[in-house]
């Protein structure tokens, strides 16, 4: 904030006349400049994430070609709302490896420590969903950091299955997740990289007793920091079987994300 002006005057009984002739005091004004830290914007945005430039509205079962390092390809992002935010519970600890020393106390935008204190915003992410080859009941959720700095996500995306026309989420089905979460304060996602979570809609492969009317997969990339309005809606075929779904934690490869999903044992 600007400092108040300091007025300096010196008056004595023997120098009043000369002081009047020379003028009173000297005025010095100083102001401090604003501090631009370059910090990433807050993750508590109040509007839905704008679709990334490389996304298009396609069904999750029509994957696009895979980007380098992606195991299963990507389908497109769609927008919507309706999920309830929840904090992470249960699950194995994350394996976020450091890209950069982070020795600058969080100032290094490529480090884990920077990501731990800078949650991802909807605007810097693109989210894609696709079916997994050889596993028809599984969906791969790919979250890519399209920004120039690292950012942090919750341990797993907030996901639920629903009927698109059902009011108030009365048909919503929430997946099980791994129990025993602990470790770092966030899952770091480096600039230009993609992280994966896998959900199995029907792990048992049952064809009877499944939940009827499910035709939508809803994804909020970070249930700890993002608003409900940032929830994305991905259509599912009307014949999709859903029974006791399982969701894994974010991982750097699809294979590791599948392994995490298979350990899900806690109802989210």
């Amino acid at each position: 904030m600007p400092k108040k002006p300091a007025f300096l005057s010196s008056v004595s009984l023997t120098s009043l006349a000369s002081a009047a002739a020379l003028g009173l005091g000297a005025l010095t004004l100083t102001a401090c400049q604003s501090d631009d830290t370059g910090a990433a914007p807050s993750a508590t945005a109040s509007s839905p994430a704008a679709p990334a430039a490389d996304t298009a509205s396609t069904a999750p079962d029509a994957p696009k070609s895979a980007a380098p390092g992606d195991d299963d390809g990507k389908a497109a992002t769609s927008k919507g709302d309706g999920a309830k935010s929840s904090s992470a519970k249960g699950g194995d600890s994350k394996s976020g490896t450091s890209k950069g020393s982070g020795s600058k106390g969080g100032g290094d935008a490529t480090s884990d420590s920077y990501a731990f204190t800078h949650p991802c915003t909807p605007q810097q992410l693109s989210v894609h969903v696709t079916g997994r080859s050889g596993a028809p009941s599984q969906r791969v959720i790919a979250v890519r950091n399209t920004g120039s700095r690292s950012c942090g996500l919750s341990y797993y995306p907030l996901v639920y299955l629903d009927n698109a026309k059902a009011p108030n989420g009365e048909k919503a089905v929430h997946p099980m997740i791994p129990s025993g979460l602990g470790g770092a304060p966030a899952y770091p996602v480096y600039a230009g990289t993609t992280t994966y979570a896998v959900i199995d809609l029907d792990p048992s492969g049952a064809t009877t007793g499944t939940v009827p009317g499910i035709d939508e997969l809803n994804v909020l990339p970070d249930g700890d920091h993002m608003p409900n309005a940032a929830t994305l809606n991905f259509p599912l075929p009307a014949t999709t079987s859903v029974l006791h779904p399982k969701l894994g934690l974010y991982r750097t490869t699809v294979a590791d994300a599948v392994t995490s999903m298979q350990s899900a044992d806690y109802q989210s």
Side-chain angles (χ1 to χ4, degrees), residues 55-86:
T55 61
S57 294
T58 63
D61 290 283
K64 299 170 72 175
S65 59
D70 292 358
D71 292 352
D72 284 286
K74 301 171 184 176
T77 306
S78 63
K79 299 191 297 179
D81 53 32
K84 292 183 178 179
S85 176
S86 69

Side-chain angles (χ1 to χ4, degrees), residues 137 200-203 205-208 210-211 214 237-243:
S137 66
D200 195 329
L201 307 178
D202 184 10
T207 56
T208 60
T210 56
V211 182
I214 299 298
T239 57
T240 300
S241 294
V242 175
L243 184 65

Side-chain angles (χ1 to χ4, degrees), residues 123-126 144-151 190-193:
Q123 292 79 11
Q124 74 188 107
L125 301 177
S126 65
R144 186 172 185 82
N145 180 353
T146 60
S148 60
R149 296 168 176 162
S150 296
C151 63
Y190 309 123
T193 65

Side-chain angles (χ1 to χ4, degrees), residues 243-261:
L243 184 65
H244 306 306
K246 290 185 174 184
L247 172 69
L249 307 182
Y250 281 127
R251 289 291 179 258
T252 56
T253 68
V254 172
D256 286 346
V258 170
T259 300
S260 178
M261 174 273 294

